[in-house]
Amino acid sequence: MESKWSNALRKRVLLTGFTLCIALVTKPAVAIEIYTESEVMMQNGTAGALRCTFKSNEVVSSSTSVTWSFQSSHPDNRFYTAPYVIFYFYNGKEFPGPDEFKDRVQFIGDINKRDVSIQLNPAQFSDNGTFFCDVKNPPDVMGTPARIELRVVLKESFPQSNTAVIVGAVCGALFLLVLIAVAACIVMRVLHNRHDYEGCTSLESVSSQAPKPRKKVESSLEGSRSTSPSGPLQGPVIYAQLDHSGSKNSFHKMEPVVYADIRKN
């Protein structure tokens, strides 16, 4: 099965090379520029894209071809010694590669938009290595294939995307602001309650101390009122000696005599 696929692919590549030679004879070749990321990291068991675009002065046609190759970084892998074609696109048709990639490589680009990206689904640890992207757009056939270093890692080692980091930072900042606002409200309430308590205490002390002189005055007034007679006012009682007999040897009797009241109302 593999030998049949290799022979068919070899014939297709030779036919493409023959077409390119004819194009070179009819029109001078111009260098084609191919762009890829230098390094890509994927999580094991998930789908990941290998992006590749190109720039050409010629219009994309049915003769435009795309070749993706792979060289493993594991010495015990059969793709370790040299790059091996894992995907080929020509004349609007896709030609899958060997069994290791046949069911996992998908073409996700748009050749008319000069996008020849592929997707690995799922990515495996055996995919660690270098992927080569080569595009021929006759007569633009002279160009250097672009290369991507792929690293397949575990979920624990896979870094978070920038979006996730930004969202996490924003959420953390909002949570911190909420905590600061709550703490500020609590402090303000405590200070307000303390101020009210101190105000009440000062008022109570003033109110408890202010009436005291008044009580003294009232008590003195009440004392004066209680000592004054409730009946008609009378003058002080003055005792005098009166001699009723007119003789010297008569008995002197002390009788009270009431005089007019000398107090002022």
Side-chain angles (χ1 to χ4, degrees):
M1 180 70 182
E2 183 179 349
S3 60
K4 291 181 179 180
W5 181 87
S6 300
N7 292 332
L9 182 60
R10 189 177 298 107
K11 291 179 180 179
R12 183 64 62 182
V13 173
L14 291 175
L15 179 60
T16 303
F18 179 74
T19 304
L20 294 177
C21 290
I22 295 176
L24 289 174
V25 173
T26 57
K27 190 175 181 179
V30 179
I32 188 171
E33 299 178 7
I34 307 172
Y35 306 95
T36 59
E37 299 176 89
S38 59
E39 185 178 13
V40 174
M41 184 178 294
M42 295 183 186
Q43 180 181 332
N44 182 46
T46 63
L50 298 175
R51 302 291 179 183
C52 181
T53 57
F54 66 93
K55 182 179 179 181
S56 175
N57 294 328
E58 297 297 325
V59 178
V60 176
S61 63
S62 59
S63 61
T64 304
S65 64
V66 180
T67 305
W68 278 90
S69 305
F70 170 68
Q71 185 174 6
S72 176
S73 59
H74 299 286
D76 56 347
N77 194 298
R78 73 186 187 99
F79 304 124
Y80 176 74
T81 56
Y84 201 90
V85 178
I86 60 171
F87 178 82
Y88 184 70
F89 180 90
Y90 175 73
N91 196 20
K93 296 180 181 180
E94 301 177 13
F95 299 89
D99 294 339
E100 289 85 348
F101 296 93
K102 181 178 180 180
D103 298 329
R104 296 191 300 116
V105 175
Q106 300 174 2
F107 186 74
I108 59 174
D110 187 347
I111 195 169
N112 293 319
K113 295 181 179 180
R114 291 171 170 75
D115 185 356
V116 293
S117 304
I118 61 173
Q119 183 184 59
L120 290 177
N121 187 18
Q124 301 176 356
F125 291 118
S126 58
D127 297 332
N128 281 292
T130 306
F131 288 80
F132 300 89
C133 177
D134 191 15
V135 181
K136 305 297 183 185
N137 187 34
D140 293 349
V141 295
M142 303 298 295
T144 303
R147 52 190 297 164
I148 305 175
E149 296 294 333
L150 176 62
R151 294 175 54 197
V152 181
V153 298
L154 294 172
K155 181 179 180 179
E156 293 76 12
S157 302
F158 192 75
Q160 296 181 350
S161 61
N162 293 334
T163 303
V165 173
I166 293 173
V167 171
V170 171
C171 292
L174 292 176
F175 182 72
L176 182 60
L177 290 176
V178 171
L179 290 180
I180 293 174
V182 172
C185 291
I186 293 174
V187 172
M188 291 179 65
R189 174 171 290 184
V190 171
L191 294 177
H192 183 70
N193 293 339
R194 182 179 297 176
H195 178 71
D196 291 345
Y197 177 77
E198 291 177 353
C200 292
T201 304
S202 60
L203 291 176
E204 290 175 357
S205 61
V206 171
S207 61
S208 61
Q209 294 175 1
K212 289 182 179 179
R214 185 177 180 182
K215 288 183 179 180
K216 292 181 179 179
V217 174
E218 291 178 355
S219 61
S220 61
L221 292 176
E222 290 177 357
S224 62
R225 290 174 185 173
S226 61
T227 54
S228 62
S230 59
L233 297 176
Q234 297 180 357
V237 179
I238 302 175
Y239 292 89
Q241 294 180 355
L242 298 177
D243 188 359
H244 296 281
S245 61
S247 64
K248 298 181 179 178
N249 298 323
S250 61
F251 176 76
H252 297 281
K253 183 178 179 182
M254 301 293 293
E255 293 181 359
V257 179
V258 177
Y259 288 88
D261 188 4
I262 61 175
R263 293 185 303 172
K264 294 181 180 180
N265 291 333

